[in-house]
Amino acid sequence: MPVFTHPSLFKTHNLSIRDDSGLECYETDHHYKILIVDDEESILQSINRCISDKYHVDYFLSPSAALSSATHTAYDLVISDQRMPGIEGIELLAKIKDIQPHCIAIILSGLTDSQTLLKAINQAHIYHYLCKPWDNKELLSLIERALDFGAEQVENERLADKARVNCGSMTKHRAYLRDLESKYPGITNVSRDKSGAIIIKNRE
């Protein structure tokens, strides 16, 4: 069931309705992939108009659908609203960071209080707290900086793993699995039956 009641609004912005309660840009040649979560359709529209021609972006009105997507789709950056029904943005970002530690997190909120900000930093390890309404140039600049920061972190970890392999504290196989998991979340989580055979689950 489509989330957006007027999909025609998005035709000029290269979007398609997802079956899993969200929006997804058509495939592009851009390397970075971004996840945007907000329960207000107008916010998603505004962000879409600002960044859809620069990045491959998945948009979700439903936090649970966004979390489900993060279990099998690797994201470089996630931007989430703070106040949403069922789950706060901080909690959602913390769960996504558990699945994808390399994913950079940004909180979007119309409110600014120090306790919420501190909670976001400690629990979700956010990169930035962006207030509504935002300036589009500021948003684009923030996204670029966040992606550069994330890419630098990933490269540093790759080099650290390479050094560990060279000194013998990590096997090449382990380093390969770590790299594979960062690109394809959940791929290394294998379920087996009592006989040791791998259980293959069909994704709904």
Side-chain angles (χ1 to χ4, degrees), residues 106-127:
I106 293 175
I107 277 282
L108 184 65
S109 179
L111 301 174
T112 55
D113 66 270
S114 58
Q115 293 227 339
T116 300
L117 179 57
L118 186 61
K119 186 179 177 182
I121 293 172
N122 292 336
Q123 292 187 14
H125 305 288
I126 65 161
Y127 174 79

Side-chain angles (χ1 to χ4, degrees), residues 38-126:
D38 198 297
D39 62 321
E40 294 184 44
E41 182 177 337
S42 60
I43 297 296
L44 297 185
Q45 290 181 21
S46 296
I47 297 177
N48 171 59
R49 285 192 294 267
C50 181
I51 70 173
S52 63
D53 62 337
K54 296 180 180 294
Y55 303 104
H56 183 105
V57 190
D58 288 349
Y59 297 85
F60 288 93
L61 286 167
S62 164
S64 60
L67 183 60
S68 176
S69 181
T71 61
H72 57 77
T73 301
Y75 293 102
D76 300 286
L77 172 67
V78 55
I79 301 175
S80 174
D81 185 31
Q82 167 59 9
R83 289 195 169 185
M84 296 182 291
I87 182 173
E88 288 187 341
I90 293 173
E91 183 181 352
L92 173 64
L93 291 177
K95 289 182 177 181
I96 291 176
K97 292 283 282 187
D98 283 342
I99 300 168
Q100 302 187 34
H102 295 116
C103 184
I104 303 302
I106 293 175
I107 277 282
L108 184 65
S109 179
L111 301 174
T112 55
D113 66 270
S114 58
Q115 293 227 339
T116 300
L117 179 57
L118 186 61
K119 186 179 177 182
I121 293 172
N122 292 336
Q123 292 187 14
H125 305 288
I126 65 161

Side-chain angles (χ1 to χ4, degrees), residues 19-204:
D19 292 332
D20 50 350
S21 303
L23 281 170
E24 184 180 62
C25 288
Y26 291 112
E27 283 293 341
T28 69
D29 295 329
H30 298 305
H31 171 69
Y32 292 116
K33 193 171 181 70
I34 300 174
L35 173 64
I36 311 289
V37 191
D38 198 297
D39 62 321
E40 294 184 44
E41 182 177 337
S42 60
I43 297 296
L44 297 185
Q45 290 181 21
S46 296
I47 297 177
N48 171 59
R49 285 192 294 267
C50 181
I51 70 173
S52 63
D53 62 337
K54 296 180 180 294
Y55 303 104
H56 183 105
V57 190
D58 288 349
Y59 297 85
F60 288 93
L61 286 167
S62 164
S64 60
L67 183 60
S68 176
S69 181
T71 61
H72 57 77
T73 301
Y75 293 102
D76 300 286
L77 172 67
V78 55
I79 301 175
S80 174
D81 185 31
Q82 167 59 9
R83 289 195 169 185
M84 296 182 291
I87 182 173
E88 288 187 341
I90 293 173
E91 183 181 352
L92 173 64
L93 291 177
K95 289 182 177 181
I96 291 176
K97 292 283 282 187
D98 283 342
I99 300 168
Q100 302 187 34
H102 295 116
C103 184
I104 303 302
I106 293 175
I107 277 282
L108 184 65
S109 179
L111 301 174
T112 55
D113 66 270
S114 58
Q115 293 227 339
T116 300
L117 179 57
L118 186 61
K119 186 179 177 182
I121 293 172
N122 292 336
Q123 292 187 14
H125 305 288
I126 65 161
Y127 174 79
H128 196 87
Y129 193 107
L130 183 65
C131 297
K132 300 177 184 177
W134 64 84
D135 176 81
N136 283 342
K137 288 184 179 179
E138 178 188 356
L139 176 61
L140 286 170
S141 177
L142 173 61
I143 289 174
E144 185 176 343
R145 295 196 309 273
L147 291 172
D148 286 345
F149 176 76
E152 183 178 352
Q153 282 194 318
V154 169
E155 178 61 11
N156 288 340
E157 186 162 321
R158 185 190 69 80
L159 292 174
D161 281 353
K162 184 178 180 180
R164 294 185 186 104
V165 170
N166 289 338
C167 72
S169 63
M170 178 182 287
T171 64
K172 288 184 179 180
H173 179 67
R174 175 58 180 162
Y176 174 74
L177 289 179
R178 280 164 58 88
D179 182 62
L180 197 63
E181 182 66 30
S182 69
K183 295 175 181 175
Y184 308 99
I187 196 171
T188 61
N189 296 329
V190 178
S191 299
R192 297 179 183 271
D193 62 19
K194 292 182 179 179
S195 68
I198 295 175
I199 301 173
I200 298 177
K201 298 179 181 180
N202 292 324
R203 192 174 289 155
E204 296 297 333

